[in-house]
Amino acid sequence: MPVGLIALALGGFGIGLTEFVIMGLLPEVAADFRVSEASAGWFISGYALAVVVGALGLTAAVSRFQRKPVLAVLLVLFIAGNLLSAVAPDYWTMMAGRVVAALAHGAFFGIGAVVAAGMVPPTRKAAAIAIMFTGLTAANVLGVPLGTLLGQAAGWRSTFWAITGIGVLALAGILALVPKAGSGEAAPGGLRSELRAFRSGQVWLSILVTVLGYGGMFGAFTYIAFTLTEVSGFAASTVPWLLIVFGVGLFIGNTLGGRAADRNVDRTLLAVLSVLVVVLVAFALSAGNQMLTIASLLLLGGFGFATVPGLQMRVMKYAAKAPTLASGANIGAFNVGNALGAWLGGVTITAGLGYTSPIWAGAAITVLGLLVMAGAAAGAKASARRAAATGLTAASQTGMEAEVAGSTEAEPADVEPVSVR
C-alpha cells in the first residue's frame, strides 16, 4: 500500500470529524453563542451547502494545477476554517469558519480520489479510494464519540483545536508522502477538458445514482436518534454507543465494497443497492425489537457505505481523460443526497407518519437509485457490445483490404508456352 494513501486518509479523518462532530456539540455551541438549537443547526446545513459549492466551484478553479500542491492548499484552507471556529467570538464568525472548512471538503475528496487511484495499478483503484475514505469512516467510529467527549469535558472549542492539529499533521503527510503524480494518474487538463467529461451520459447517470443511493441511506440515518429512542425504546444515553455500531458497519462496508468494485463496478453497485433496499425495509419492520435494531444498524452502515468506493470509481471511469471535476461533482452529489434524504424524512415525520417513516422514505429513494443503476449498467453493456462489434467489423474490413492488396501486388506466375505441332 502506498504510504501516500495514509496521508490522504488522515486528511479524510480530520474532514469527517469537523463535519459530524458538531452534531454532538450543538447544545454547548448554542448555549455559548446564546442562539436557539435551530439556529445552531445551520452550522450543519451551512457546512453541507458549502461542500457542494467547493466540490464544483473550487475544483473547477484549480483544475489546471498539479494536484499535490492543490491538496496542500486545501488543507491550509481546512486548518484556517477550524482555527477560526475554535476562536470564534460570535455566531457569524463561527459560521464563516464552518464555510471555509467546508469549501476544502468537497474539493479535497474529489481531487484526493483521483490522486489515490493514480498511486496504484488499475485493478486496485477502487480499493485505493476506499482507503482514503477509511479516514471518513474512522471519524464516525472513533473521532465523533471522542471529539464529543472532549468537547463536553473541556469545552467545545477544544474539539476544534484538536481538529486543527489533525489538519496540520495531514498537511505534513501530504507534503512528505504523496508523490507529485502517480503513474496511473491523468494529467490535469484545464477547465475546458474537465467540462468535456460531462458530455458522457454515463457520468450523469453515475452522479444521479450517488444522489439517490446514498441519499436513501442518509435519509434513514438522519433521524435515527428518534427511531432508537421513540420506537426501539433505547435510553438516550445509549445512542452514542449504538452509533458506534453503525460506524463499524461503515468501516467494514467501505473496505469490502472497494475490493468488490475493483472486480466489477456495476455488478457490485447493483448487488449492494439491492441488499440495501432489503436492509431498510427489514429495519423499518423490526425497529421495535432492540436486538434486530442493533443488527440493522450494522447492516445499514455496511451496505450504505459499501456503495461509496464504487460510486466514486464509476464516475472517474467514464470521465477517465479528465476525472478531477467529475470526481468533485460526485462528492457534491453525496451531499445533495444527504440533503434530499434528510428533507424527505422530515416531510414524512411532519406528516405524522411516525419515526420509522424516514426509513421507508430511504428505502423508496434507494429503489429509485437501483433502477437508475440498472439502466446505466444495461446501457454501458450495450455500448460495450456495439464497440466490440464495430471493432470486429473494422478488423474484418481491414483484413479483406489487405488480402485484396496482396493479391494485386503479387507477381504474375510464369506460364509454360504451349507448342503446337
Side-chain angles (χ1 to χ4, degrees), residues 152-180:
Q152 291 174 343
W156 65 267
R157 294 176 189 274
S158 64
T159 299
F160 284 91
W161 279 110
I163 296 171
T164 301
I166 292 169
V168 172
L169 291 176
L171 174 60
I174 293 290
L175 293 174
L177 302 176
V178 172
K180 289 184 178 179

Side-chain angles (χ1 to χ4, degrees), residues 133 136-138 140-141 214 217 221 243-255 297-298 300-306:
F133 278 104
L136 187 61
T137 61
N140 280 277
V141 177
Y214 195 72
M217 185 275 285
F221 178 68
L243 295 184
I244 292 178
V245 174
F246 177 81
V248 170
L250 294 183
F251 185 86
I252 296 171
N254 178 62
T255 303
L297 282 174
L298 182 66
L300 178 62
F303 286 98
F305 220 80

